[in-house]
Amino acid sequence: PGVQGSTLSQDFERADRELGMSREELKRAVLNAVDAAFAADSVKAADELCTWVFEQMGGSGEIGILQGVLGSTAELQRSEGCQKAIDKNPGITVVGKESANWDETEGYKAAQNMLQANPNIKAIIGESVNATNPETSTAPASASANSTKSRPVRPVRNPIGA
């Protein structure tokens, strides 16, 4: 049976009741069952993705960056990775950077602000686009389509797979 809608305390009680395991026995069993943990290398993924975007731009132009929740591990690592790519591409100029807090509506508003303030912007990079929150990739495209830009920005699926 699943644990949907339960609390950790209820899970421990059920384990005790159904499995005859104490809280400590259950903790040890869970810890011993974990042989490996996997995590994405967000710095490397962001470096590779931003490098790819810059290549598509011909290595020069103005960009905007939509950040995630400021100070979060993912935001810090993705910013670090994208900055590495920027450092390797002197023709790239960051003209706007705003937090979208991993929210589509905030991302739309931030992208609109960037596009209005920077008519020559070629790309908006969303640090928050991921498998669990893919709709944030549409924010820059929607904002671009509703702006006065003659050439709308299109969402690009991450070719790196991060």
Side-chain angles (χ1 to χ4, degrees):
V3 295
Q4 186 174 0
S6 68
T7 66
L8 186 57
S9 181
Q10 289 169 331
D11 293 340
F12 281 129
E13 288 172 17
R14 193 175 75 227
D16 182 34
R17 186 176 59 252
E18 294 177 13
L19 303 173
M21 297 177 77
S22 72
R23 190 175 292 237
E24 282 307 311
E25 288 172 322
L26 181 59
K27 284 181 186 176
R28 277 195 302 276
V30 169
L31 292 173
N32 289 332
V34 178
D35 290 330
F38 298 92
D41 184 344
S42 291
V43 175
K44 180 179 178 187
D47 180 6
E48 291 176 358
L49 176 61
C50 290
T51 297
W52 181 85
V53 169
F54 301 158
E55 287 170 0
Q56 305 313 298
M57 293 171 53
S60 65
E62 296 179 355
I63 66 163
I65 299 175
L66 290 179
Q67 297 170 294
V69 176
L70 296 180
S72 69
T73 300
E75 182 274 324
L76 293 170
Q77 291 175 346
R78 292 170 187 170
S79 290
E80 179 183 344
C82 195
Q83 188 59 53
K84 285 183 177 191
I86 292 167
D87 292 344
K88 294 182 282 189
N89 289 276
I92 299 297
T93 304
V94 179
V95 294
K97 188 183 281 193
E98 290 191 43
S99 173
N101 291 309
W102 297 334
D103 178 84
E104 182 179 13
T105 302
E106 288 188 46
Y108 177 84
K109 290 176 185 175
Q112 272 189 321
N113 292 341
M114 285 184 214
L115 290 166
Q116 288 173 0
N118 305 285
N120 296 321
I121 204 163
K122 284 188 173 180
I124 297 176
I125 296 172
E127 292 180 349
S128 60
V129 178
N130 59 52
T132 59
N133 195 14
E135 63 276 357
T136 56
S137 66
T138 63
S142 297
S144 176
N146 293 324
S147 77
T148 58
K149 276 186 72 70
S150 60
R151 199 175 84 206
V153 174
R154 294 178 296 118
V156 177
R157 186 169 297 278
N158 183 344
I160 309 303

